[in-house]
Coordinates of all heavy atoms in Angstrom, one line a residue:
M1 N 236.4 119.6 -15.7 CA 235.6 119.1 -16.8 C 234.9 117.8 -16.4 O 235.5 116.9 -15.9 CB 236.6 118.9 -18.0 CG 235.9 118.4 -19.2 SD 237.0 118.1 -20.7 CE 237.7 119.7 -21.0
T2 N 233.5 117.7 -16.7 CA 232.8 116.5 -16.3 C 232.9 115.5 -17.4 O 233.4 115.8 -18.5 CB 231.3 116.9 -16.1 OG1 230.8 117.3 -17.3 CG2 231.2 117.9 -15.0
D3 N 232.5 114.3 -17.1 CA 232.6 113.2 -18.1 C 231.6 113.5 -19.3 O 232.0 113.0 -20.4 CB 232.2 111.8 -17.5 CG 233.3 111.4 -16.6 OD1 234.5 111.8 -16.7 OD2 233.1 110.5 -15.8
N4 N 230.5 114.1 -19.1 CA 229.6 114.4 -20.3 C 229.9 115.7 -21.0 O 229.2 116.0 -22.0 CB 228.2 114.5 -19.7 CG 227.8 113.1 -19.2 OD1 228.2 112.0 -19.7 ND2 226.9 113.1 -18.3
E5 N 231.0 116.4 -20.6 CA 231.3 117.6 -21.3 C 232.0 117.3 -22.6 O 232.9 116.4 -22.7 CB 232.2 118.4 -20.4 CG 232.2 119.9 -20.7 CD 233.0 120.6 -19.6 OE1 232.6 120.5 -18.4 OE2 233.9 121.4 -20.0
K6 N 231.6 118.0 -23.7 CA 232.3 117.7 -25.0 C 233.6 118.2 -25.1 O 234.0 119.2 -24.5 CB 231.4 118.3 -26.1 CG 230.1 117.6 -26.2 CD 229.4 118.1 -27.5 CE 228.1 117.3 -27.6 NZ 227.4 117.7 -28.8
K7 N 234.5 117.4 -25.7 CA 235.9 117.7 -25.9 C 236.2 117.7 -27.4 O 235.6 116.9 -28.2 CB 236.7 116.7 -25.1 CG 236.5 116.5 -23.7 CD 237.2 115.2 -23.2 CE 236.5 114.6 -22.0 NZ 235.2 114.1 -22.2
R8 N 237.2 118.5 -27.8 CA 237.6 118.4 -29.2 C 239.0 117.7 -29.3 O 239.9 118.1 -28.5 CB 237.7 119.9 -29.7 CG 238.2 120.0 -31.1 CD 238.4 121.5 -31.4 NE 239.0 121.7 -32.7 CZ 238.4 122.2 -33.8 NH1 237.2 122.7 -33.6 NH2 239.0 122.3 -34.9
V9 N 239.1 116.7 -30.0 CA 240.3 115.9 -30.2 C 240.8 116.0 -31.6 O 240.0 115.7 -32.6 CB 240.1 114.5 -29.7 CG1 241.4 113.7 -29.8 CG2 239.6 114.4 -28.3
T10 N 242.0 116.3 -31.9 CA 242.6 116.3 -33.2 C 243.2 114.9 -33.5 O 244.0 114.4 -32.7 CB 243.6 117.4 -33.4 OG1 243.0 118.6 -33.1 CG2 244.1 117.4 -34.8
V11 N 242.8 114.3 -34.6 CA 243.3 113.0 -34.9 C 243.8 113.0 -36.4 O 243.4 113.8 -37.2 CB 242.3 111.8 -34.8 CG1 241.9 111.7 -33.3 CG2 241.1 112.0 -35.6
E12 N 244.6 112.0 -36.7 CA 245.1 111.8 -38.1 C 244.6 110.4 -38.6 O 244.9 109.4 -37.9 CB 246.6 112.0 -38.2 CG 246.9 112.1 -39.7 CD 248.4 112.5 -39.9 OE1 248.8 113.5 -39.3 OE2 249.1 111.8 -40.6
I13 N 243.8 110.4 -39.7 CA 243.5 109.2 -40.3 C 243.8 109.3 -41.8 O 243.3 110.2 -42.5 CB 241.9 109.0 -40.1 CG1 241.5 108.9 -38.6 CG2 241.5 107.7 -40.8 CD1 240.0 109.0 -38.4
Y14 N 244.5 108.3 -42.2 CA 244.9 108.1 -43.6 C 245.5 109.4 -44.1 O 245.1 110.0 -45.2 CB 243.8 107.6 -44.4 CG 244.2 107.0 -45.7 CD1 244.9 105.8 -45.7 CD2 243.9 107.6 -47.0 CE1 245.2 105.2 -46.8 CE2 244.3 106.9 -48.1 CZ 245.0 105.8 -48.1 OH 245.4 105.1 -49.2
N15 N 246.4 110.0 -43.3 CA 247.2 111.1 -43.7 C 246.4 112.4 -43.8 O 246.8 113.4 -44.4 CB 248.0 111.0 -45.0 CG 249.0 109.9 -44.9 OD1 249.7 109.6 -43.9 ND2 249.0 109.0 -45.9
R16 N 245.2 112.4 -43.1 CA 244.4 113.7 -43.1 C 244.1 113.9 -41.7 O 243.9 113.0 -40.8 CB 243.1 113.5 -43.9 CG 243.3 113.4 -45.4 CD 242.1 113.5 -46.2 NE 241.4 114.8 -45.9 CZ 240.3 115.1 -46.5 NH1 239.7 114.2 -47.2 NH2 239.7 116.2 -46.3
T17 N 244.0 115.2 -41.3 CA 243.7 115.6 -40.0 C 242.2 115.9 -39.8 O 241.6 116.5 -40.7 CB 244.4 116.9 -39.6 OG1 245.8 116.6 -39.7 CG2 244.2 117.4 -38.2
Y18 N 241.6 115.4 -38.7 CA 240.2 115.6 -38.4 C 240.1 116.1 -36.9 O 240.9 115.7 -36.1 CB 239.4 114.2 -38.5 CG 239.5 113.7 -39.9 CD1 240.5 112.8 -40.4 CD2 238.5 114.1 -40.8 CE1 240.5 112.3 -41.6 CE2 238.5 113.5 -42.1 CZ 239.5 112.7 -42.5 OH 239.5 112.2 -43.8
H19 N 239.0 116.8 -36.7 CA 238.7 117.3 -35.3 C 237.5 116.6 -34.9 O 236.4 116.8 -35.5 CB 238.6 118.8 -35.3 CG 239.8 119.5 -35.9 ND1 241.0 119.6 -35.2 CD2 240.0 120.1 -37.1 CE1 241.9 120.2 -36.0 NE2 241.3 120.6 -37.1
V20 N 237.6 115.8 -33.9 CA 236.5 115.0 -33.4 C 235.9 115.6 -32.2 O 236.7 115.9 -31.2 CB 236.9 113.5 -33.1 CG1 235.7 112.7 -32.6 CG2 237.5 112.9 -34.5
I21 N 234.6 115.9 -32.1 CA 234.1 116.5 -30.9 C 233.1 115.5 -30.3 O 232.2 114.9 -31.0 CB 233.3 117.8 -31.3 CG1 234.3 118.8 -31.9 CG2 232.6 118.4 -30.1 CD1 233.6 120.0 -32.5
G22 N 233.3 115.2 -29.0 CA 232.4 114.2 -28.3 C 232.7 114.2 -26.8 O 233.6 114.9 -26.4
T23 N 232.1 113.3 -26.2 CA 232.2 113.2 -24.7 C 233.2 112.1 -24.3 O 233.6 112.0 -23.2 CB 230.9 112.9 -24.1 OG1 230.4 111.7 -24.6 CG2 229.9 114.0 -24.3
E24 N 233.7 111.3 -25.3 CA 234.6 110.3 -25.0 C 236.0 110.9 -24.6 O 236.3 112.0 -25.0 CB 234.9 109.3 -26.2 CG 233.6 108.6 -26.6 CD 233.0 107.5 -25.5 OE1 233.8 107.2 -24.7 OE2 232.0 107.1 -25.7
S25 N 236.8 110.1 -23.9 CA 238.1 110.6 -23.5 C 239.0 110.7 -24.7 O 238.8 110.1 -25.8 CB 238.8 109.7 -22.5 OG 239.2 108.4 -23.2
E26 N 240.0 111.6 -24.6 CA 241.0 111.8 -25.7 C 241.7 110.5 -26.1 O 241.9 110.1 -27.2 CB 242.0 112.8 -25.4 CG 243.0 113.1 -26.5 CD 244.0 114.3 -26.3 OE1 243.8 115.0 -25.3 OE2 244.9 114.4 -27.0
R27 N 242.0 109.7 -25.1 CA 242.7 108.4 -25.3 C 241.8 107.5 -26.1 O 242.2 106.8 -27.0 CB 243.0 107.8 -23.9 CG 243.7 106.5 -24.0 CD 244.0 106.0 -22.6 NE 244.6 104.6 -22.7 CZ 244.7 103.9 -21.7 NH1 244.3 104.2 -20.5 NH2 245.2 102.6 -21.8
H28 N 240.5 107.5 -25.8 CA 239.5 106.6 -26.5 C 239.4 107.1 -28.0 O 239.4 106.2 -28.9 CB 238.2 106.6 -25.8 CG 237.1 105.8 -26.5 ND1 237.0 104.5 -26.4 CD2 236.2 106.2 -27.4 CE1 236.0 104.0 -27.2 NE2 235.5 105.0 -27.8
V29 N 239.3 108.3 -28.2 CA 239.1 108.9 -29.5 C 240.4 108.6 -30.4 O 240.3 108.2 -31.5 CB 238.8 110.4 -29.5 CG1 238.9 111.0 -31.0 CG2 237.5 110.7 -28.9
Q30 N 241.5 108.8 -29.7 CA 242.8 108.4 -30.4 C 242.9 107.0 -30.8 O 243.4 106.6 -31.8 CB 244.0 108.9 -29.6 CG 244.2 110.3 -29.5 CD 244.7 111.0 -30.8 OE1 245.1 110.3 -31.7 NE2 244.7 112.3 -30.7
L31 N 242.5 106.1 -29.9 CA 242.4 104.7 -30.2 C 241.6 104.3 -31.3 O 241.9 103.6 -32.3 CB 242.0 103.9 -28.9 CG 241.8 102.4 -29.1 CD1 243.1 101.7 -29.5 CD2 241.2 101.8 -27.8
V32 N 240.3 104.9 -31.3 CA 239.4 104.7 -32.4 C 240.1 105.1 -33.8 O 240.0 104.4 -34.8 CB 238.0 105.4 -32.2 CG1 237.2 105.3 -33.4 CG2 237.4 104.6 -31.0
A33 N 240.6 106.3 -33.7 CA 241.2 106.9 -35.0 C 242.4 106.0 -35.4 O 242.5 105.8 -36.6 CB 241.7 108.3 -34.7
N34 N 243.1 105.5 -34.5 CA 244.3 104.6 -34.9 C 243.8 103.4 -35.5 O 244.3 102.8 -36.5 CB 245.2 104.3 -33.7 CG 246.0 105.5 -33.3 OD1 246.3 106.4 -34.0 ND2 246.4 105.5 -32.0
L35 N 242.7 102.8 -35.0 CA 242.1 101.6 -35.5 C 241.6 101.8 -37.0 O 241.7 101.0 -37.8 CB 241.1 100.9 -34.6 CG 241.6 100.4 -33.3 CD1 240.5 100.1 -32.4 CD2 242.5 99.2 -33.5
V36 N 240.9 102.9 -37.2 CA 240.4 103.3 -38.4 C 241.5 103.4 -39.4 O 241.5 102.9 -40.6 CB 239.5 104.5 -38.4 CG1 239.2 105.0 -39.8 CG2 238.3 104.2 -37.6
D37 N 242.6 104.1 -39.0 CA 243.7 104.4 -39.9 C 244.4 103.0 -40.2 O 244.7 102.8 -41.5 CB 244.8 105.2 -39.1 CG 245.9 105.6 -40.0 OD1 245.8 106.2 -41.1 OD2 247.1 105.2 -39.6
Q38 N 244.5 102.1 -39.3 CA 245.1 100.8 -39.5 C 244.2 100.0 -40.5 O 244.8 99.4 -41.6 CB 245.2 100.0 -38.3 CG 246.3 100.5 -37.4 CD 246.3 99.7 -36.0 OE1 245.7 98.7 -35.8 NE2 247.0 100.2 -35.1
K39 N 242.9 100.1 -40.3 CA 242.0 99.4 -41.3 C 242.1 99.9 -42.7 O 242.1 99.2 -43.7 CB 240.6 99.4 -40.8 CG 239.6 98.6 -41.6 CD 239.9 97.1 -41.6 CE 239.3 96.3 -40.5 NZ 239.4 94.8 -40.7
M40 N 242.1 101.2 -42.8 CA 242.2 101.9 -44.1 C 243.5 101.5 -44.8 O 243.5 101.2 -46.0 CB 242.1 103.3 -44.0 CG 240.6 103.9 -43.7 SD 240.5 105.6 -43.7 CE 240.3 105.9 -45.5
N41 N 244.6 101.5 -44.1 CA 245.9 101.1 -44.6 C 245.9 99.7 -45.1 O 246.4 99.3 -46.1 CB 247.0 101.5 -43.7 CG 247.3 102.9 -43.8 OD1 247.8 103.5 -44.8 ND2 247.1 103.6 -42.7
E42 N 245.3 98.8 -44.3 CA 245.2 97.4 -44.5 C 244.4 97.2 -45.9 O 244.9 96.4 -46.7 CB 244.6 96.7 -43.4 CG 244.3 95.2 -43.6 CD 243.5 94.6 -42.4 OE1 243.8 95.0 -41.3 OE2 242.5 93.9 -42.7
I43 N 243.3 97.8 -46.0 CA 242.4 97.6 -47.2 C 243.2 98.3 -48.4 O 243.2 97.7 -49.5 CB 241.1 98.3 -47.0 CG1 240.3 97.4 -46.0 CG2 240.3 98.4 -48.2 CD1 239.0 98.0 -45.4
H44 N 243.8 99.4 -48.2 CA 244.6 100.0 -49.3 C 245.7 99.1 -49.8 O 245.9 99.0 -51.0 CB 245.2 101.4 -48.8 CG 246.0 102.0 -49.9 ND1 247.4 101.9 -49.9 CD2 245.7 102.6 -51.1 CE1 247.9 102.5 -51.0 NE2 246.9 102.9 -51.7
D45 N 246.3 98.4 -48.9 CA 247.4 97.5 -49.3 C 247.0 96.4 -50.2 O 247.6 95.9 -51.1 CB 248.1 96.9 -48.0 CG 249.0 98.0 -47.4 OD1 249.3 99.1 -47.9 OD2 249.4 97.7 -46.2
A46 N 245.7 96.0 -50.0 CA 245.1 94.9 -50.8 C 244.4 95.4 -52.0 O 244.1 94.6 -52.9 CB 244.1 94.1 -49.9
N47 N 244.1 96.7 -52.1 CA 243.3 97.3 -53.2 C 243.8 98.7 -53.5 O 243.2 99.7 -53.3 CB 241.8 97.5 -52.8 CG 241.2 96.2 -52.3 OD1 240.8 95.4 -53.1 ND2 241.0 96.0 -51.0
K48 N 245.0 98.7 -54.1 CA 245.8 100.0 -54.3 C 245.0 100.8 -55.3 O 245.3 102.1 -55.3 CB 247.2 99.7 -54.7 CG 248.0 99.0 -53.6 CD 249.5 99.2 -53.8 CE 250.3 98.5 -52.8 NZ 250.3 99.1 -51.6
Q49 N 244.2 100.4 -56.1 CA 243.5 101.2 -57.1 C 242.3 102.0 -56.5 O 241.8 102.9 -57.2 CB 243.0 100.4 -58.3 CG 241.7 99.6 -58.0 CD 241.9 98.3 -57.1 OE1 243.0 98.0 -56.6 NE2 240.8 97.7 -56.7
L50 N 241.9 101.8 -55.3 CA 240.8 102.5 -54.7 C 241.1 103.9 -54.5 O 242.2 104.3 -54.0 CB 240.4 101.8 -53.4 CG 239.6 100.5 -53.4 CD1 239.5 100.0 -52.1 CD2 238.3 100.7 -54.1
D51 N 240.2 104.8 -54.8 CA 240.3 106.2 -54.4 C 239.9 106.3 -52.9 O 239.4 105.4 -52.3 CB 239.4 107.1 -55.3 CG 238.0 106.8 -55.2 OD1 237.5 106.0 -54.4 OD2 237.2 107.5 -55.9
T52 N 240.1 107.5 -52.4 CA 239.9 107.6 -50.9 C 238.4 107.4 -50.5 O 238.1 106.8 -49.5 CB 240.3 109.1 -50.5 OG1 241.7 109.2 -50.8 CG2 240.2 109.2 -49.0
A53 N 237.5 107.8 -51.3 CA 236.0 107.6 -51.0 C 235.7 106.2 -51.0 O 235.0 105.6 -50.1 CB 235.2 108.3 -52.0
G54 N 236.2 105.4 -52.0 CA 236.0 103.9 -52.1 C 236.6 103.2 -51.0 O 236.0 102.3 -50.3
L55 N 237.8 103.7 -50.6 CA 238.6 103.1 -49.5 C 237.8 103.3 -48.2 O 237.6 102.5 -47.3 CB 239.9 103.7 -49.4 CG 240.9 103.3 -48.3 CD1 241.1 101.8 -48.4 CD2 242.2 104.0 -48.3
A56 N 237.2 104.6 -48.0 CA 236.5 104.9 -46.8 C 235.2 104.0 -46.7 O 234.8 103.5 -45.6 CB 236.1 106.4 -46.8
V57 N 234.5 103.8 -47.8 CA 233.3 103.0 -47.8 C 233.7 101.5 -47.5 O 233.0 100.9 -46.6 CB 232.5 103.1 -49.1 CG1 231.4 102.0 -49.2 CG2 232.0 104.5 -49.3
L58 N 234.7 101.0 -48.1 CA 235.1 99.6 -47.8 C 235.5 99.5 -46.3 O 235.3 98.5 -45.7 CB 236.2 99.1 -48.7 CG 235.8 98.6 -50.0 CD1 237.1 98.1 -50.8 CD2 234.8 97.4 -49.8
T59 N 236.2 100.5 -45.8 CA 236.6 100.5 -44.4 C 235.3 100.4 -43.5 O 235.2 99.6 -42.5 CB 237.4 101.7 -44.0 OG1 238.6 101.6 -44.9 CG2 237.8 101.6 -42.6
A60 N 234.4 101.2 -43.8 CA 233.1 101.3 -43.1 C 232.3 99.9 -43.2 O 231.8 99.4 -42.1 CB 232.2 102.4 -43.5
V61 N 232.3 99.4 -44.4 CA 231.6 98.1 -44.5 C 232.3 97.0 -43.7 O 231.7 96.2 -43.1 CB 231.6 97.7 -46.0 CG1 231.1 96.2 -46.2 CG2 230.6 98.6 -46.8
N62 N 233.7 96.9 -43.8 CA 234.5 95.9 -43.0 C 234.2 96.1 -41.5 O 234.1 95.2 -40.7 CB 235.9 96.1 -43.4 CG 236.3 95.2 -44.7 OD1 236.6 94.1 -44.6 ND2 236.1 95.9 -45.8
T63 N 234.3 97.4 -41.1 CA 234.1 97.7 -39.7 C 232.8 97.3 -39.2 O 232.6 96.7 -38.1 CB 234.5 99.1 -39.4 OG1 235.8 99.5 -39.9 CG2 234.4 99.5 -37.9
M64 N 231.7 97.6 -39.9 CA 230.4 97.2 -39.5 C 230.2 95.7 -39.6 O 229.5 95.2 -38.7 CB 229.4 97.9 -40.4 CG 227.9 97.7 -40.0 SD 227.6 98.3 -38.3 CE 227.9 100.0 -38.4
N65 N 230.8 95.1 -40.5 CA 230.8 93.6 -40.5 C 231.4 93.0 -39.3 O 230.8 92.1 -38.6 CB 231.5 93.1 -41.8 CG 231.4 91.5 -41.9 OD1 230.4 90.9 -41.8 ND2 232.7 91.0 -41.9
D66 N 232.5 93.5 -38.8 CA 233.2 93.1 -37.6 C 232.3 93.3 -36.4 O 232.2 92.5 -35.6 CB 234.6 93.8 -37.4 CG 235.6 93.4 -38.5 OD1 235.4 92.4 -39.2 OD2 236.6 94.1 -38.6
Y67 N 231.7 94.5 -36.4 CA 230.9 94.9 -35.3 C 229.6 94.0 -35.2 O 229.3 93.5 -34.1 CB 230.3 96.4 -35.4 CG 229.2 96.7 -34.6 CD1 229.4 97.0 -33.2 CD2 227.9 96.8 -35.0 CE1 228.4 97.3 -32.4 CE2 226.9 97.1 -34.2 CZ 227.1 97.4 -32.9 OH 226.0 97.7 -32.0
L68 N 229.0 93.6 -36.3 CA 227.9 92.8 -36.2 C 228.2 91.3 -35.8 O 227.5 90.7 -35.1 CB 227.2 92.7 -37.6 CG 226.4 94.0 -38.0 CD1 225.8 93.9 -39.4 CD2 225.3 94.3 -37.0
K69 N 229.3 90.9 -36.2 CA 229.8 89.5 -35.8 C 230.0 89.6 -34.3 O 229.6 88.6 -33.6 CB 231.1 89.1 -36.5 CG 230.9 88.7 -37.9 CD 232.2 88.3 -38.5 CE 232.0 87.9 -40.0 NZ 233.3 87.6 -40.6
L70 N 230.7 90.6 -33.7 CA 230.9 90.6 -32.3 C 229.6 90.8 -31.5 O 229.4 90.2 -30.5 CB 231.8 91.8 -32.0 CG 233.2 91.7 -32.3 CD1 233.9 93.0 -32.1 CD2 233.8 90.6 -31.4
K71 N 228.6 91.5 -32.1 CA 227.3 91.6 -31.5 C 226.6 90.3 -31.5 O 226.0 90.0 -30.4 CB 226.5 92.7 -32.3 CG 225.3 93.2 -31.6 CD 224.6 94.3 -32.4 CE 223.3 94.7 -31.8 NZ 222.6 95.7 -32.5
E72 N 226.7 89.6 -32.5 CA 226.0 88.2 -32.6 C 226.7 87.3 -31.6 O 226.1 86.5 -30.8 CB 226.2 87.6 -34.0 CG 225.3 88.3 -35.0 CD 225.5 87.8 -36.4 OE1 226.4 86.9 -36.6 OE2 224.9 88.5 -37.3
D73 N 228.0 87.3 -31.5 CA 228.8 86.5 -30.5 C 228.4 86.9 -29.1 O 228.2 86.0 -28.3 CB 230.3 86.7 -30.7 CG 230.9 86.0 -32.0 OD1 230.2 85.3 -32.6 OD2 232.0 86.4 -32.3
Y74 N 228.3 88.2 -28.8 CA 227.8 88.6 -27.5 C 226.5 88.1 -27.1 O 226.2 87.6 -26.0 CB 227.9 90.1 -27.5 CG 227.4 90.7 -26.2 CD1 228.1 90.7 -25.0 CD2 226.1 91.3 -26.1 CE1 227.7 91.2 -23.8 CE2 225.7 91.8 -24.9 CZ 226.4 91.8 -23.8 OH 225.9 92.3 -22.6
A75 N 225.6 88.2 -28.1 CA 224.2 87.7 -27.8 C 224.1 86.2 -27.6 O 223.5 85.7 -26.7 CB 223.2 88.1 -29.0
T76 N 225.0 85.5 -28.3 CA 225.0 84.0 -28.1 C 225.6 83.7 -26.8 O 225.1 82.9 -26.0 CB 226.0 83.4 -29.2 OG1 225.4 83.7 -30.5 CG2 226.1 81.9 -29.0
L77 N 226.7 84.4 -26.4 CA 227.3 84.2 -25.1 C 226.3 84.6 -24.0 O 226.2 83.9 -23.0 CB 228.5 85.1 -25.0 CG 229.4 85.0 -23.7 CD1 229.8 83.6 -23.4 CD2 230.5 86.0 -23.7
L78 N 225.6 85.7 -24.1 CA 224.6 86.1 -23.1 C 223.5 85.0 -23.0 O 223.2 84.7 -21.8 CB 224.0 87.4 -23.5 CG 223.6 88.4 -22.4 CD1 224.7 88.7 -21.5 CD2 223.0 89.6 -23.1
G79 N 223.1 84.5 -24.1 CA 222.1 83.4 -24.1 C 222.6 82.2 -23.4 O 221.9 81.6 -22.6
S80 N 223.9 81.9 -23.6 CA 224.4 80.6 -23.0 C 224.5 80.9 -21.4 O 224.2 80.0 -20.6 CB 225.9 80.4 -23.4 OG 225.8 80.0 -24.8
L81 N 224.9 82.1 -21.0 CA 225.0 82.4 -19.6 C 223.6 82.3 -18.9 O 223.4 81.9 -17.8 CB 225.6 83.8 -19.3 CG 227.1 83.9 -19.6 CD1 227.5 85.4 -19.6 CD2 227.9 83.1 -18.7
R82 N 222.6 82.8 -19.6 CA 221.2 82.8 -19.1 C 220.7 81.4 -18.9 O 220.0 81.0 -18.0 CB 220.3 83.7 -19.9 CG 220.5 85.1 -19.8 CD 219.5 85.9 -20.5 NE 219.8 87.3 -20.2 CZ 219.7 88.3 -21.2 NH1 219.3 88.0 -22.4 NH2 219.9 89.5 -20.9
K83 N 221.0 80.5 -19.9 CA 220.6 79.1 -19.8 C 221.3 78.4 -18.6 O 220.7 77.6 -17.9 CB 221.0 78.3 -21.1 CG 220.1 78.6 -22.3 CD 220.5 77.8 -23.4 CE 219.6 78.2 -24.6 NZ 220.0 77.5 -25.9
K84 N 222.5 78.7 -18.3 CA 223.3 78.1 -17.2 C 222.7 78.6 -15.8 O 222.7 77.9 -15.0 CB 224.7 78.5 -17.2 CG 225.5 77.7 -18.3 CD 227.0 78.1 -18.3 CE 227.7 77.3 -19.3 NZ 229.1 77.5 -19.3
E85 N 222.1 79.8 -15.9 CA 221.5 80.4 -14.6 C 220.1 79.7 -14.3 O 219.8 79.6 -13.2 CB 221.3 81.9 -14.7 CG 222.6 82.7 -14.7 CD 222.4 84.2 -14.9 OE1 221.2 84.6 -15.2 OE2 223.3 84.9 -14.8
D86 N 219.5 79.2 -15.3 CA 218.2 78.6 -15.2 C 218.2 77.2 -14.7 O 218.9 76.5 -14.2 CB 217.4 78.5 -16.5 CG 217.0 79.9 -17.0 OD1 217.0 80.9 -16.1 OD2 216.8 80.1 -18.2

């Protein structure tokens, strides 16, 4: 099997089973699924009244917020490294 060949990985997120198809390793897909599951449970613990759809949206919003912060930090770090090279 090549690295670009699609694989099917079964994961469990928030007590539901999903089949993920992609080129990432099974280990990577399981890690991502575990992090999503953890985030959903964390948000549910703070907002027990949310239905699954609301919980999924809040999880996506929180995750995208974290991603954008990391992306900004990366750009700042890259800028700092480039200044030091000049």
Side-chain angles (χ1 to χ4, degrees):
M1 186 180 293
T2 65
D3 286 342
N4 291 331
E5 205 170 307
K6 290 189 177 184
K7 303 165 206 66
R8 179 183 173 113
V9 179
T10 302
V11 298
E12 189 169 310
I13 300 172
Y14 203 66
N15 301 317
R16 290 190 62 183
T17 300
Y18 297 91
H19 305 287
V20 179
I21 299 171
T23 58
E24 298 292 346
S25 71
E26 181 173 349
R27 182 176 174 198
H28 179 81
V29 174
Q30 289 289 349
L31 174 61
V32 170
N34 287 338
L35 291 170
V36 171
D37 184 62
Q38 286 175 13
K39 183 62 90 172
M40 286 185 79
N41 282 296
E42 175 187 314
I43 292 170
H44 175 258
D45 288 346
N47 302 282
K48 294 199 183 288
Q49 77 286 357
L50 284 174
D51 63 3
T52 303
L55 181 59
V57 169
L58 272 183
T59 300
V61 168
N62 276 267
T63 302
M64 187 54 63
N65 181 56
D66 293 346
Y67 168 76
L68 289 175
K69 285 180 181 178
L70 285 170
K71 193 173 176 182
E72 289 170 7
D73 290 348
Y74 175 74
T76 300
L77 182 60
L78 213 56
S80 295
L81 289 172
R82 286 187 179 140
K83 283 182 184 177
K84 286 183 179 182
E85 289 176 353
D86 292 340

